[in-house]
Amino acid sequence: MTSTSPLPADAPQPLSTSPRADSHPNHANHPNHSATHADPATPAPAVRAVRLTKTYGTGGAAVHALRGVDVAFERGAFTAIMGASGSGKSTLLHLLAGLDSATDGHVLLGDTDLSTLDDQALTLLRRERVGFVFQAFNLLPMFTAEQNITLPLELAGRVGRGGIDADTRAWFDRLVDVLGLRDRLGHHPSELSGGQQQRVAIARALLTRPDVVFADEPTGNLDSRSGAEVLELLRTSVRELGQTVVMVTHDAAAAAYADRVVLVADGRIAGDLNRPTPEQVTAALDALRTASLAGSIVGAR
Amino acid sequence: MWRLTWAQMRRTGGRLVAVGIAIALGTGFITAAFLGSSTLEATALATARAGVGDPDLVVQTSMTADQVDELATLSGVAAVQPIGFVGREIGTGQGSEYLLLAPPATDDRLAPAALTSGETPDAPGEIAVPGTTAQRLGVQVGDTVQVVSQIWTADSDEPTREVSDAVVVGITADGSGLGFGLPLGLADPTDVAAWQAADGSTWSGATLVLADGADAAAVRDAVAGSVDPGATLQTGEEYARQVASSFTDGVDVFRSLVLAFAGVAMAVAGIVIANTFTVLVAQRTRTLALLRCVGATASQVRASVRLEALVLGVVASIAGVIGGIALGQVVLTILGRANAGVPLPAVVPVSVAAVVVPIVAGVLVTLLAAGGAARLATRVAPLAALRPVDLASGARRRSVRPAIGWTLVGLGVAGMAGALVVSAGGSFDLGLGLGVLGGIVSVVGLVVAAITYVPGLTRVLGRTAAAIAPARSRVPARLAAINAARNPGRTTSTATALLVGVALVVMMSTGAAMARSALDTELSEQFAVDVTVSGTALSQATIDAVRAVDGVASSVVMDGASAEVTTDDGTSTVTAYSASDIAALADVVATLPAWGRGVSMADGWVLAKDGPLTVNGLTTSGKLVEGLPSSTVLLDAETFAYASLTPDSRTVWLALTPGADPRAVANAVTDAVSDTTTGTAGATPVVAGGAVERAGYGQIVDTMLLVVVGLLAVAVIIALIGVANTLSLSVVERRRENALLRALGLTRRQLRATLAVEGVLLAGVGALVGIVLGVGYGWLGSMLLLGPTVGLGVGDLAVPWSTVLVIVAVAVVAGVLASVLPARGATRTSPVAALATE
């Protein structure tokens, strides 16, 4: 499963290996960001959680979604976060992505501590340094595929009267070809299949060349063939475009596409697997479940 | 079903409150209209009662003093008071005033004028004057005033002035006695009888009080036998009601007018209600479908929606009625404190109609408006519960409605075109009727067909906004443009509600602007001189003060003399002026032609056309000058002297600076005159002229416009509530979209801007279409109403730009304001929370 599977004919063509375009304007804005993955000796993580805590509600009704999580995600890697429903994996993703604020602890995106940012700064950070692929409702129904892809640039006011700049246009063209969306650009989301919609979302996430792309159950609403296609594309973006991807999933087969799997249970990191096979992932999950079951029985006594 | 309806109403409470306010405004308006007119009627009746007193019998017929006295001798009659008064000019060193005088009441029940000080005149040469008159003339009890009688006799064109002295013995309360609210003084019966004899006038009737124990029917018969056979005999109450109804002829018109505007407000409220209920049903699609799945019948679902409308209608209507009554009471209390002269009731007279009519209207409009939504609710299929919610619905177009609408527009326009033709042909009433009918039909058509043009206009307006927006605001502008055009039905009805109110306001303003410019043209033709100040004792101080008034461009002073002129048409008495400075005169009178020796200028009253004109026996060649004051002949100084005219008055003619406000200048001139004059009776200089007339008419037009616009503003406010309602519904519907946009980097400010632009687009489209329609209908209405009388041409369109600007500004500000609350809710929602909800 981990080897390259043949891509569907209508879509992604394999990319020739190419370094990230270092002339990207964002690099000037975020010098820390250009401390690239080129130096393996000092693997500066793309995003890091430090004693991250999230509590919903107060007093007796308090729900501890995260209880002091410490975890780092390397640059240029594809990491999957796994866990059962209510384990805190989605909360972790939301906090890492700056969609929600932590009760305690820190999230460091590069050198930026998200807990120090106000809503305006967080919004701009999401716009410029983070990409998103959600499970469903990724696209605005009233915009075409192309308009959806360029939306973050438009929000930043980076689409001039003559369209986007040449450098970004070239990157856009490449993404569209890789993702096989060329003849779908003028379509509205309602005219696209689920897989196509997710590919548009991936194109949008990659267009700004963000520090990290966060994917929240990106295959949850897809059939297995489309799901495999989306996962393959995410892996391609990591392997060939040097993108950092963090994905939440509860599907062992999906997690097996990742370079590394982080297991979350009860708001804590419960395991860490490197380049696992689906079987290894399933086994680890089973172990986790048993432990948790045993724990609850012990607790009951 | 009731529990379910109640639960649903509570969930959507905020939205229902907004609609409720719209209904309450409309019903409150109706209540206020009823209260206003019944207060007027009550006031009129109270005034009439105060004027009539409490007589047992009232005789109405022309009677001499002797006939009145004869009634007093009838058996069973205790007292008789004549109805009527004589008018005399009362003068003091401070000025003079025309005063109505009556003899004092002979019985306490016969409308005695209440005395505030002094006593009732009971000897010849004694008089009692009303308090306000005494104040103006500066007299107190014990002072002497002059009573001036102008006696007209058959053998003379001029009245004889007879002046006698009278001692003020009492001060009467204003508004008391037989004057029906007019200032009324009292004089000794002997004096009154003498004055009446001198005037040759008679009493218009008498009021009687019967002796204790007298047989009313017998007295009535006796009175009927004593007076003219054609006399009317009534009881005191009947007479008071008759007098009151003669005062209140206009009240019915007033009530109909205000109720018509209230009707417009209710219609607009209806559109807002229909809109909101449709969306409420759309939002509850899944709930309704689930209900259908578990066994609710279609009629139960329909009944639930109707029940909701009924509850809302009843509650909001009652609130509106209470608000209307409270408002009426507040206004009445303020008026009562400000004005002592009129007997206003202390508590608003609440009639049954003032309560029942608005409640019935409010409930009916709510039920009717919610009817469409109720039908829509029954169409929800049970299966809809199982399908994912599709928010992109609602783009259905009913194909028949636009066709009907445009047919009506066509018929209406044809009717209005026909009206113009008929009106030009000379039949005023037919033209007006046809025009009004055509106007109403075409407006209904335009409202029905609004779906065919409002969404398109919104799109164009939105694209324009997006195109001119700076790069960073382009996304909000574009999102707003797309969102505003996404639900054509809702956008259309929201904009239409505003359109109706705005169109009416602009129509009235256009009509007023055209009426005013027509009047200005007409008046400046009739009055070539802007302001004239003339008098027998016009002092140099007054002339200097008047010339120094801001806005006076040029002036000319002339001596005037009474002169006999003879033209081909006959002889008349005119005022001849000595034009010693012809150049200055030409500056003031724009229409003055070139002047040669032996030429006199005369106005249209004196001279029908150029021709010979003889002044005091001296024949000159007369020239007709349009717009000179009536009965004016202008002579050069030499001719004036040659005609042996002796100056007996002086006159200043003034021309205003172009662009000066005629009203302000006329007022300033009047002030300057009164500041420099310590007038005695008859000697006060008279201020007149085109500017004064223009100012007066302009003020009447402006006041009427203000009242009408104030009434229509209620409809506009209701429509703006509709805009806010539509926006908050958009926010609810687009919760997930907004969350996605926030996740992708839409800042809070950009989200707020998106909603603000959407609000401005909704309000702006309604306002723009309303303005265009209003100008069109205002132009047509003015053509039909004023065209025949003042010769208003097709090209005389006067657009009330200031009103248009105000309306555009109001629309923009209201659009932004309407988005504030919805935006607060939208920006508070965290992106995660919104993404998590299904």
Side-chain angles (χ1 to χ4, degrees), chain B residues 126-450:
Chain B
E126 289 185 355
I127 191 170
V129 297
T132 48
T133 307
Q135 204 174 0
R136 277 195 293 267
L137 297 181
V139 294
Q140 294 169 345
V141 172
D143 289 352
T144 303
V145 294
Q146 291 180 315
V147 181
V148 182
S149 303
Q150 306 229 359
I151 311 295
W152 296 82
T153 47
D155 52 321
S156 167
D157 285 345
E158 289 284 320
T160 328
R161 273 168 77 93
E162 279 180 11
V163 181
S164 60
D165 283 348
V167 179
V168 177
V169 296
I171 306 292
T172 61
D174 291 312
S176 68
L178 268 171
F180 299 119
L182 295 173
L184 181 72
L186 299 175
D188 181 69
T190 325
D191 283 342
V192 175
W195 291 328
Q196 203 175 30
D199 290 353
S201 62
T202 55
W203 298 118
S204 56
T207 57
L208 290 82
V209 174
L210 305 193
D212 286 342
D215 178 4
V219 176
R220 196 181 172 113
D221 287 346
V223 169
S226 162
V227 297
D228 237 31
T232 318
L233 269 75
Q234 288 170 310
T235 64
E237 181 64 18
E238 284 168 353
Y239 178 60
R241 290 198 175 276
Q242 186 209 329
V243 171
S245 74
S246 70
F247 291 164
T248 56
D249 275 350
V251 172
D252 289 342
V253 179
F254 163 81
R255 178 165 40 204
S256 313
L257 190 74
V258 177
L259 283 180
F261 288 129
V264 171
M266 281 312 286
V268 170
I271 296 176
V272 173
I273 297 164
N275 216 7
T276 310
F277 266 84
T278 311
V279 177
L280 285 180
V281 167
Q283 273 187 332
R284 293 178 196 157
T285 302
R286 296 194 83 165
T287 318
L288 292 172
L290 195 63
L291 280 172
R292 296 297 310 279
C293 278
V294 298
T297 64
S299 57
Q300 276 177 317
V301 168
R302 185 169 51 225
S304 169
V305 176
R306 286 201 181 140
L307 183 62
E308 187 170 352
L310 183 71
V311 171
L312 177 70
V314 169
V315 171
S317 300
I318 291 174
V321 169
I322 293 172
I325 293 174
L327 180 73
Q329 184 60 53
V330 167
V331 171
L332 195 62
T333 309
I334 293 171
L335 282 180
R337 285 206 185 131
N339 188 350
V342 183
L344 286 171
V347 178
V348 278
V350 180
S351 60
V352 178
V355 174
V356 172
V357 172
I359 290 181
V360 169
V363 172
L364 274 184
V365 165
T366 313
L367 278 179
L368 280 176
R375 273 196 305 281
L376 205 65
T378 63
R379 286 205 213 113
V380 173
L383 268 178
L386 311 173
R387 285 198 294 262
V389 188
D390 181 15
L391 291 171
S393 67
R396 271 170 301 135
R397 265 190 198 194
R398 295 183 196 112
S399 54
V400 203
R401 279 184 53 182
I404 295 174
W406 286 118
T407 311
L408 290 176
V409 172
L411 287 174
V413 168
M416 290 188 286
L420 278 178
V421 173
V422 171
S423 171
S427 32
F428 176 78
D429 288 337
L430 180 63
L432 190 61
L434 203 57
V436 169
L437 190 70
I440 292 173
V441 168
S442 62
V443 163
V444 170
L446 280 169
V447 168
V448 171

Side-chain angles (χ1 to χ4, degrees), chain A:
Chain A
M1 270 300 270
T2 51
S3 63
T4 44
S5 53
L7 291 173
D10 71 319
Q13 281 129 46
L15 285 171
S16 59
T17 313
S18 120
R20 296 192 57 187
D22 283 326
S23 61
H24 189 270
N26 266 358
H27 287 245
N29 298 341
H30 312 292
N32 54 305
H33 175 255
S34 58
T36 61
H37 49 285
D39 184 4
T42 53
V47 60
R48 192 152 62 95
V50 182
R51 298 187 315 280
L52 197 59
T53 304
K54 180 70 178 179
T55 311
Y56 295 105
T58 49
V63 175
H64 302 282
L66 292 179
R67 306 163 187 261
V69 169
D70 285 292
V71 65
F73 301 90
E74 309 99 83
R75 238 171 252 286
F78 185 1
T79 313
I81 302 176
M82 290 204 72
S85 264
S87 61
K89 61 183 192 302
S90 283
T91 304
L92 177 59
L93 185 90
H94 292 154
L95 290 179
L96 290 172
L99 282 170
D100 205 352
S101 51
T103 311
D104 199 12
H106 301 273
V107 172
L108 295 163
L109 184 72
D111 280 351
T112 314
D113 185 349
L114 301 196
S115 60
T116 64
L117 301 181
D118 62 6
D119 181 79
Q120 175 80 12
L122 270 181
T123 305
L124 296 183
L125 176 128
R126 289 199 299 267
R127 185 196 282 172
E128 286 159 10
R129 295 177 57 190
V130 173
F132 288 102
V133 181
F134 296 108
Q135 175 177 355
F137 202 74
N138 255 307
L139 309 178
L140 290 174
M142 63 282 196
F143 285 153
T144 62
E146 175 163 4
Q147 286 168 332
N148 266 295
I149 294 171
T150 57
L151 191 60
L153 296 181
E154 282 217 51
L155 288 171
R158 275 175 53 197
V159 181
R161 306 225 178 249
I164 47 183
D165 60 277
D167 179 40
T168 317
R169 170 54 64 179
W171 179 233
F172 171 86
D173 285 338
R174 191 155 157 232
L175 285 174
V176 165
D177 288 333
V178 168
L179 294 164
L181 291 169
R182 180 58 68 188
D183 54 349
R184 292 279 180 271
L185 287 179
H187 289 55
H188 283 87
S190 57
E191 299 162 318
L192 299 175
S193 71
Q196 285 166 339
Q197 289 186 29
Q198 292 306 75
R199 298 209 307 259
V200 171
I202 293 172
R204 180 186 62 205
L206 295 177
L207 185 66
T208 54
R209 284 182 270 216
D211 293 12
V212 186
V213 168
F214 292 100
D216 189 359
E217 303 270 15
T219 60
N221 270 16
L222 300 179
D223 60 65
S224 58
R225 183 169 168 270
S226 303
E229 194 182 301
V230 164
L231 290 166
E232 193 56 56
L233 284 166
L234 285 175
R235 185 160 66 181
T236 308
S237 74
V238 173
R239 296 257 165 92
E240 305 190 22
L241 308 178
Q243 186 64 58
T244 310
V245 175
V246 176
M247 172 180 78
V248 160
T249 182
H250 63 267
D251 175 7
Y257 279 81
D259 301 322
R260 173 189 170 204
V261 175
V262 174
L263 298 170
V264 181
D266 287 334
R268 292 196 178 85
I269 302 297
D272 207 330
L273 305 173
N274 244 328
R275 298 190 185 278
T277 62
E279 293 73 25
Q280 286 171 315
V281 176
T282 311
L285 282 174
D286 282 347
L288 210 58
R289 207 170 292 135
T290 316
S292 139
L293 196 61
S296 63
I297 292 168
V298 170
R301 276 180 193 164

Side-chain angles (χ1 to χ4, degrees), chain B residues 529-551:
Chain B
V529 184
D530 288 333
V531 181
T532 68
V533 182
S534 51
T536 51
L538 191 63
S539 67
Q540 191 59 42
T542 304
I543 294 173
D544 290 342
V546 161
R547 279 175 158 169
V549 166
D550 238 9

